[in-house]
Amino acid sequence: PTLFRSHVPQESITSIEKGVLLVTSRNECFSINPETGETLWTMSFADGATFAGSQEKMYIAPGKEIIAVQLSTGAIVWRRILDAGILGITDAHDVLIAETSALEMLALDEIDGSTVWRSVDIPVLRDSWAKIVHVGETTVVTRSGRFTLTGLHKRTGIPKWRRRIHYRSGIGQPPAILSLDEFLCVET
């Protein structure tokens, strides 16, 4: 027998965090009690959003805004409006890192949304677009420019190491990066 039914959009991503089933799609986010099927809270967005989650919070980024939501209740913990659109957000386990349409990477404190560091303040990242490829215990690894990897201290943004990856020209595709819990693998 079916205990409960809930409509889940086909494009959604589901996960269970702290006993709550999270369902996200481009324009909607909601949580379900996995034992009863009861909807705990719902948020909708006109222009779509990107999402990231941590142990206690869900981070939602519609347009130029980042919203931290308490997982269990849906209460808004903090809200931050940025100058540029948000292309993606990554939970780095005490900082939230946003990649913006202004080609900037911005680290926010997960507790209150205050700015921890900005890529425009880091000389090695200032003049090129950077994308997060791995989050470690104390390091965030970014890929930028002509395929350069940079390990940044995640709380300060200070570069710890930098490495240019060379690959055979003529193939047309940059090397693939696979991020595992303890290893960063680069296929050249």
Side-chain angles (χ1 to χ4, degrees), residues 66 82-88 98-106 129-130:
I66 298 177
L82 303 179
D83 293 333
I86 300 158
L87 303 176
E99 298 167 51
T100 75
S101 60
L103 304 182
E104 179 181 21
M105 193 176 294
L106 182 69
W129 172 81

Side-chain angles (χ1 to χ4, degrees), residues 137-154:
E137 200 169 310
T138 62
T139 306
V140 174
V141 179
T142 65
R143 181 186 79 204
S144 62
R146 296 180 76 38
F147 208 75
T148 300
L149 297 177
T150 304
L152 306 172
H153 188 280
K154 72 179 182 179

Side-chain angles (χ1 to χ4, degrees), residues 83-84 97-107 115-130 142 152 156-159:
D83 293 333
I97 301 176
E99 298 167 51
T100 75
S101 60
L103 304 182
E104 179 181 21
M105 193 176 294
L106 182 69
T115 300
V116 176
W117 55 264
R118 298 172 43 167
S119 60
V120 294
D121 298 329
I122 302 167
V124 297
L125 295 180
R126 184 179 301 135
D127 297 325
S128 65
W129 172 81
T142 65
L152 306 172
T156 64
I158 294 172

